[in-house]
Amino acid sequence: MKKKLIIFGVGSLAKMMNFYFSRDSDYEVVAFTIDSKYKTKSEFLDKEIIEFERIQDKYPPQKFEMFIAIGPSKMNILREIKYTEAKAKGYELVSYISPYAICDSPVGENTIIADYAIIAPFVKVGFNNIFWEQCFIANDSVVGNNCWISPKAVVSTFAEICDNSVLGTAALIKTSIKISKKSLIGASSYISVNTLENGVYGEKSTSYY
């Protein structure tokens, strides 16, 4: 018998996680939840949407678990806030590790390891992190909490990704580099020096006329 899961969110990430959990996990998604001020409809993907403020009345944490499906908005702060609020309500927050991924290090709660992502041995990974398809986290590196690692991003050995950072698609972090808190690393950027907190780093885009 599958365990029962509530997903926070009704956006594209919630849609993806409903697919992933339904495809190959031990969880059955039974409902979605969102803050009442953002609720504009009663169902999402043919499942009930219930206000987060009263979620525990119908789906108590003793019987249901939760996943927070919020993207990297405001440097992952929104996901961090809801993670904390769900924990305060007593919910266990589950992680998803794709059977097509390689994950040789433990990961914290509310984490996604998507298809073909690789987490090497001896990596320290916190909670509430998103690792998208084909990203690679090398051995002896560190990923903090509330981070977003886009597809094909690479974190080299002994590098550190601090809390609430975002790595864009195909970003490359050099060996032993520290990505400070709330760093935004643009797509295809190569980072070879330590970043500053709240720093933004990126390659100029190419325009065609």
Side-chain angles (χ1 to χ4, degrees), residues 11 29 39 42 62 87 108-109 111-112 146 158 160 177 201:
V29 178
K39 184 180 175 183
S42 60
Q62 295 83 7
K87 293 284 289 183
E109 293 180 307
T111 290
I112 299 170
N146 317 307
F158 302 104
E160 180 180 3
I177 291 301
Y201 303 83

Side-chain angles (χ1 to χ4, degrees), residues 7-20 29 31-35 38-41 43-45 49 67-73 112 132 148:
I7 293 180
F8 184 100
V10 292
S12 60
L13 183 56
K15 182 179 179 180
M16 284 290 295
M17 294 318 299
N18 178 71
F19 171 81
Y20 276 136
V29 178
F32 294 88
T33 185
I34 196 168
D35 292 342
Y38 297 116
K39 184 180 175 183
T40 60
K41 53 187 177 181
E43 291 187 349
F44 181 66
L45 302 178
I49 301 173
F67 182 86
I68 309 299
I70 299 178
S73 300
I112 299 170
W132 282 119
W148 181 278

Side-chain angles (χ1 to χ4, degrees), residues 6 25 30 39 70 72-74 94-95 100 161-162 167 175 200:
I6 311 297
S25 81
V30 297
K39 184 180 175 183
I70 299 178
S73 300
K74 297 185 178 180
V94 307
S95 291
Y100 305 105
I161 312 299
C162 294
L167 272 59
T175 297
V200 178

Side-chain angles (χ1 to χ4, degrees), residues 79-208:
R79 191 169 73 257
E80 179 183 10
I81 290 171
K82 289 305 166 185
Y83 172 93
T84 301
E85 291 179 357
K87 293 284 289 183
K89 288 177 180 286
Y91 287 95
E92 181 177 345
L93 297 173
V94 307
S95 291
Y96 170 81
I97 300 177
S98 168
Y100 305 105
I102 297 173
C103 187
D104 287 328
S105 295
V107 302
E109 293 180 307
N110 209 75
T111 290
I112 299 170
I113 311 295
D115 291 350
Y116 309 111
I118 298 175
I119 311 294
F122 314 119
V123 178
K124 294 182 180 179
V125 179
F127 56 81
N128 204 26
N129 293 302
I130 312 296
F131 297 91
W132 282 119
E133 292 86 349
Q134 299 183 50
C135 70
F136 174 62
I137 313 300
N139 62 282
D140 297 287
S141 57
V142 176
V143 178
N145 308 313
N146 317 307
C147 292
W148 181 278
I149 313 297
S150 297
K152 297 187 177 181
V154 174
V155 176
S156 300
T157 53
F158 302 104
E160 180 180 3
I161 312 299
C162 294
D163 295 354
N164 295 88
S165 290
V166 175
L167 272 59
T169 300
L172 173 57
I173 311 303
K174 185 183 176 183
T175 297
S176 301
I177 291 301
K178 180 179 180 178
I179 303 299
S180 295
K181 290 183 179 180
K182 299 180 182 178
S183 290
L184 174 58
I185 310 302
S188 301
S189 297
Y190 173 60
I191 304 300
S192 59
V193 296
N194 295 342
T195 68
L196 300 175
E197 187 169 335
N198 296 305
V200 178
Y201 303 83
E203 295 284 338
K204 290 184 177 180
S205 61
T206 301
S207 298
Y208 292 94

